[in-house]
Amino acid sequence: MPKPTTTRRLTTEAGAPIADNQNSATAGLGGPLLLQDQHLLEKLARFNRERIPERVVHARGSGAYGYFEVTDDITGFTRADFLSAVGRRTDLFIRFSTVADNLGGPDAARDPRGFAVKFYTEEGNYDLVGNNTPVFFIKDPLKFPDFIHSQKRDPFTGKQEPDNVWDFWAHSPEATHQITWLMGDRGIPASYRHMNGYGSHTYQWTNAAGEAFFVKYHFKTNQGIRCLDADQGADLSGKDPNSHQTDLLQSIERGVYPSWTLYVQVMPSAEAAGYRFNPFDLTKVWPHTDYPLQRVGRLVLDRNPDNVFAEVEQSAFSPNNFVPGIGPSPDKMLQGRLFAYADAHRYRLGVNHSQLPVNAPKATVAHNYGRDGLMASNAYDRHAKNYEPNSYGGPAQSDLPLSAPLALTGHTGTHAAPAHTKDDDFFQAGELYRLMSEGEKNRLVANIAGGLAQVARDDVVEKNLAHFHAADPEYGKRVEAKVHELRED
């Protein structure tokens, strides 16, 4: 027997040494394989089970580790411990992603980008799950499955269909603002490093005195905004479908650490009810003239994952992972995500997904009475009880709510969002259009018309054109002219 060239022996999953990893056991020289070859069977069986269900949305992603450092005193707005002192650092993990395509899709697609941050705080993990746009296509989670179905592969043709995409948008005028973002110059970021991130939703902060504020998060890239036009995106997608992954990996490996500055907009809770539009509407932004950006700190990424599957694909973010001083708002889309995200991870990864290293708390220890289930660890106190209350000194409730209570009134039922004096599905889309340069407007119109001109039904085209006309008359006229031009060719 040749002597091994390494002190680390190859073993089975049970730890037994493997004598031969090059040849299967057979019934004699050249004979059939043997069922008793445990190593072969274990190896093939495990290979068959290497893949887990991919995320329904945000399947294609990249991640990195880093830290968040507080640079400004914001203790007047929140009692969150990890934000309590200038200079304080908190470890974190971030996952960037595209939304609509499958795991093998190109990074340089025209698509919103996920921007999900897991802060490993001393009071538990805080997950801030947002996008690279401050708004979204819809404002009620009841519409989310239908929206995603319209954007994903058609069940008959097996590919994304412009008819489906634009038909849904034709019946969802509130999408006009996000469509203007998506079809504009920021619709294809040049890399994950060169885009902003937003919490998008409205959240609640509570300070030590119990005062409540509503906030919106803005992560401004310190690398500067860089984007690709449609032709550049298509070219890069063909040359390097992993372009954003490559860029993030290589920049961190060579010590060029990407960073973002976090700002928040802060609205005293008493101002929400009388604000001119619904401040909890995910299809709208708060004008900075009303609520200026206030700096909080700096996010830096300085370490790549060692294993993409274990740490990026198995990372699980949920908006309901709050810490004391931070909580939800009445934002209906956020409320729906409080359930949907955690439930998606229970399906994909199992009920014990929070015990995986990338998801487990790092600055504290989880103490609860959850037990058993697939892949349960044995990391429990010896002889600990699995019920509460008990007489054995098990973990007990804190009696300190994470955030201030939200006021409720009225009757249960399916209600439209409450009307504010300036609620409108089109005004902010028009404002965004009017902020654009002539070149930006030309590219926006070309991107919209390029998809809309492919729609078969004239009534669907007309409904969408009406939305752009309502946002801004010039906007509508230019899109309409370009669509007619393309349809006549």
Side-chain angles (χ1 to χ4, degrees):
M1 291 286 292
K3 292 183 179 180
T5 58
T6 176
T7 56
R8 296 181 61 190
R9 294 190 301 181
L10 182 65
T11 73
T12 67
E13 293 183 27
I18 293 169
D20 189 343
N21 193 43
Q22 309 304 315
N23 302 287
S24 302
T26 61
L29 183 63
L33 299 182
L34 297 176
L35 188 61
Q36 71 182 43
D37 190 345
Q38 183 265 351
H39 176 47
L40 171 66
L41 301 187
E42 179 180 85
K43 198 171 181 181
L44 291 179
R46 182 175 185 85
F47 178 77
N48 287 343
R49 293 162 174 81
E50 279 186 358
R51 297 295 173 260
I52 61 175
E54 70 173 39
R55 291 167 169 87
V56 177
V57 289
H58 297 278
R60 172 64 183 160
S62 302
Y65 292 94
Y67 62 88
F68 180 79
E69 181 177 8
V70 178
T71 58
D72 294 79
D73 182 6
I74 55 164
T75 53
F77 302 123
T78 179
R79 61 185 176 91
D81 184 64
F82 79 104
L83 301 175
S84 62
V86 172
R88 183 157 188 176
R89 286 190 176 187
T90 300
D91 290 341
L92 59 85
F93 180 79
I94 190 168
R95 185 177 187 270
F96 306 105
S97 56
T98 54
V99 176
D101 216 337
N102 299 102
L103 187 57
D107 286 341
R110 184 172 298 279
D111 201 11
R113 300 300 192 275
F115 194 103
V117 188
K118 185 181 295 291
F119 299 90
Y120 300 108
T121 89
E122 294 182 8
E123 295 182 304
N125 290 352
Y126 171 45
D127 289 354
L128 181 58
V129 186
N131 284 327
N132 72 324
T133 60
V135 295
F136 196 60
F137 298 94
I138 54 175
K139 50 190 171 185
D140 193 306
L142 195 64
K143 300 181 71 170
F144 188 75
D146 298 293
F147 164 62
I148 294 301
H149 288 167
S150 75
Q151 310 297 301
K152 301 281 275 187
R153 298 177 187 272
D154 182 89
F156 174 67
T157 67
K159 60 190 183 72
Q160 190 181 50
E161 293 290 347
D163 280 343
N164 299 356
V165 171
W166 289 95
D167 185 38
F168 182 88
W169 286 343
H171 293 88
S172 306
E174 70 270 27
T176 309
H177 192 187
Q178 174 71 324
I179 292 169
T180 306
W181 272 90
L182 178 62
M183 298 300 176
D185 282 358
R186 296 196 184 185
I188 311 178
S191 79
Y192 290 131
R193 296 183 298 127
H194 294 94
M195 67 182 194
N196 291 342
Y198 301 89
S200 301
H201 297 288
T202 301
Y203 294 90
Q204 187 205 68
W205 277 5
T206 309
N207 65 16
E211 297 171 309
F213 304 85
F214 292 119
V215 300
K216 283 185 176 288
Y217 295 86
H218 301 250
F219 291 90
K220 300 288 189 177
T221 175
N222 294 325
Q223 291 69 238
I225 296 288
R226 284 183 52 202
C227 303
L228 306 174
D229 64 28
D231 291 338
Q232 291 171 323
D235 184 58
L236 185 57
S237 293
K239 289 180 178 177
D240 182 8
N242 306 300
S243 58
H244 290 25
Q245 165 70 12
T246 301
D247 177 85
L248 182 66
L249 175 75
Q250 292 183 350
S251 69
I252 294 175
E253 285 297 291
R254 66 176 186 266
V256 180
Y257 300 140
S259 66
W260 289 258
T261 300
L262 173 61
Y263 299 87
V264 292
Q265 290 177 283
V266 181
M267 174 189 290
S269 60
E271 296 181 13
Y275 194 52
R276 63 182 183 276
F277 58 83
N278 181 1
F280 311 116
D281 181 347
L282 185 55
T283 68
K284 294 183 174 63
V285 298
W286 298 354
H288 292 182
T289 51
D290 291 349
Y291 299 101
L293 295 178
Q294 302 189 48
R295 193 175 67 177
V296 179
R298 187 171 66 116
L299 185 158
V300 179
L301 300 180
D302 59 5
R303 180 166 68 88
N304 283 310
D306 293 323
N307 185 290
V308 171
F309 177 80
E311 297 166 89
V312 179
E313 287 311 301
Q314 292 196 128
S315 62
F317 300 83
S318 179
N320 64 8
N321 287 339
F322 292 114
V323 292
I326 304 177
S329 78
D331 180 338
K332 293 177 79 171
M333 282 295 292
L334 173 60
Q335 293 284 326
R337 295 174 83 202
L338 297 181
F339 163 76
Y341 271 59
D343 191 57
H345 304 316
R346 296 183 192 106
Y347 161 68
R348 293 184 61 247
L349 303 170
V351 71
N352 290 304
H353 66 273
S354 60
Q355 297 176 12
L356 294 168
V358 70
N359 299 322
K362 298 190 185 305
T364 185
V365 177
H367 293 292
N368 57 60
Y369 294 91
R371 296 290 187 274
D372 306 334
L374 191 67
M375 301 297 291
S377 76
N378 62 353
Y380 302 113
D381 295 336
R382 189 166 181 259
H383 303 312
K385 303 303 179 182
N386 65 342
Y387 59 88
E388 197 277 337
N390 64 58
S391 303
Y392 296 86
Q397 64 193 42
S398 70
D399 293 325
L400 297 173
L402 296 182
S403 56
L406 297 172
L408 303 175
T409 185
H411 303 280
T412 60
T414 55
H415 302 289
H420 291 238
T421 56
K422 297 292 184 181
D423 274 331
D424 179 278
D425 287 328
F426 308 110
F427 179 72
Q428 290 198 351
E431 285 196 320
L432 179 57
Y433 173 81
R434 290 184 287 274
L435 285 173
M436 295 180 179
S437 68
E438 188 62 23
E440 289 173 323
K441 289 177 180 178
N442 288 335
R443 291 186 290 273
L444 169 68
V445 169
N447 291 332
I448 292 174
L452 193 52
Q454 299 178 56
V455 174
R457 292 181 54 135
D458 290 340
D459 61 324
V460 172
V461 174
E462 293 304 319
K463 284 179 182 177
N464 278 286
L465 290 176
H467 297 167
F468 300 121
H469 279 287
D472 183 276
E474 179 195 277
Y475 188 7
K477 288 178 182 178
R478 292 176 68 163
V479 173
E480 183 173 7
K482 188 66 175 178
V483 168
H484 289 164
E485 174 189 328
L486 293 174
R487 285 165 73 90
E488 289 171 359
D489 288 345

